[in-house]
Amino acid sequence: MVEKRNSVQVFGRKKTAVAVALVQGNGKGLVKVNGCPLDLLEPEVLRVKALEPILILGQERFVDLDIRIRVRGSGFTSQVYAIRQAIAKGICAYYAKYVDEATRKQLRDLLISYDRSLLVADPRRCEPKKFGGRGARARYENYMLFFQLGYEAVRIPGGFLTDLLFPPSNADLTVSC
């Protein structure tokens, strides 16, 4: 009969990228992302970011654990940040469930002292576009704004001046249309 392996399943998120990590005990130290070893992760520049939890906690903690990660959604950078969060949360969850709570607390403090986003998800999301503008907050330019507000354009020798704070009330200034 096949012996049952200790395992925990956790997830990491960044923007719309979701990485689900399955951490299994009694393993060989494998860390795979979508079936490929973590050492072959692309882009190469961000590979170190994905390896951060392993480098911080030390290779000896991962010797007897197998970690399999499935990641999808968003772009390359967000996926790498979701992967590193899933690895860190997976190790903490495994140690809490199968080793002891004191060791988990040490690991958690070590990870949070390095970077809080290793264990805590970033709640920022892309804000949806609204009407009346080209983006979420930007509005279309309106050249006739001062006429709509009831202010007048005042002719001065250098050109037009719009006084938005105080509408012109002096009779000696010439008002043009």
Side-chain angles (χ1 to χ4, degrees), residues 2 12 49-50 62 69-70 74-75 91 112 116 131 149 158 166:
V2 178
K49 269 296 196 202
F62 293 85
I69 303 165
R70 296 184 315 270
S74 201
I91 291 297
I112 285 182
R116 189 168 186 268
F131 59 87
L149 294 175
F166 304 103

Side-chain angles (χ1 to χ4, degrees), residues 39-104:
D39 298 332
L40 301 177
L41 184 70
E42 291 294 328
E44 189 177 341
V45 176
L46 293 172
R47 192 177 301 156
V48 175
K49 269 296 196 202
L51 289 169
E52 276 179 356
I54 299 170
L55 298 174
I56 293 167
L57 299 176
Q59 194 75 30
E60 65 277 354
R61 295 196 196 272
F62 293 85
V63 171
D64 62 337
L65 297 178
D66 286 346
I67 303 175
R68 298 183 198 293
I69 303 165
R70 296 184 315 270
V71 63
R72 60 187 309 184
S74 201
F76 293 125
T77 304
S78 295
Q79 284 186 354
V80 169
Y81 276 85
I83 288 168
R84 73 195 282 259
Q85 188 180 67
I87 293 171
K89 285 171 73 174
I91 291 297
C92 286
Y94 183 85
Y95 270 76
K97 191 170 182 180
Y98 298 111
V99 184
D100 65 338
E101 195 65 32
T103 310
R104 183 200 73 92

Side-chain angles (χ1 to χ4, degrees), residues 15-177:
K15 294 185 181 175
T16 58
V18 179
V20 179
L22 179 67
V23 181
Q24 296 177 322
N26 303 331
K28 301 173 185 169
L30 297 174
V31 181
K32 290 194 172 187
V33 177
N34 292 341
C36 296
L38 189 62
D39 298 332
L40 301 177
L41 184 70
E42 291 294 328
E44 189 177 341
V45 176
L46 293 172
R47 192 177 301 156
V48 175
K49 269 296 196 202
L51 289 169
E52 276 179 356
I54 299 170
L55 298 174
I56 293 167
L57 299 176
Q59 194 75 30
E60 65 277 354
R61 295 196 196 272
F62 293 85
V63 171
D64 62 337
L65 297 178
D66 286 346
I67 303 175
R68 298 183 198 293
I69 303 165
R70 296 184 315 270
V71 63
R72 60 187 309 184
S74 201
F76 293 125
T77 304
S78 295
Q79 284 186 354
V80 169
Y81 276 85
I83 288 168
R84 73 195 282 259
Q85 188 180 67
I87 293 171
K89 285 171 73 174
I91 291 297
C92 286
Y94 183 85
Y95 270 76
K97 191 170 182 180
Y98 298 111
V99 184
D100 65 338
E101 195 65 32
T103 310
R104 183 200 73 92
K105 179 107 174 80
Q106 289 175 351
L107 296 178
R108 184 175 170 82
D109 291 342
L110 196 61
L111 290 168
I112 285 182
S113 67
Y114 179 77
D115 187 3
R116 189 168 186 268
S117 67
L118 282 168
L119 294 176
V120 181
D122 187 1
R124 294 178 296 175
R125 296 291 178 263
C126 185
E127 190 174 348
K129 179 194 177 301
K130 280 95 175 175
F131 59 87
R134 59 180 172 75
R137 299 291 174 103
R139 302 292 97 196
Y140 294 127
E141 288 185 17
N142 192 350
Y143 295 108
M144 303 302 284
L145 180 65
F146 58 90
F147 289 117
Q148 291 173 356
L149 294 175
Y151 297 117
E152 300 174 34
V154 179
R155 179 111 176 120
I156 59 172
F160 285 96
L161 172 70
T162 304
D163 190 351
L164 292 177
L165 295 176
F166 304 103
S169 59
N170 299 346
D172 58 327
L173 294 174
T174 58
V175 177
S176 63
C177 295

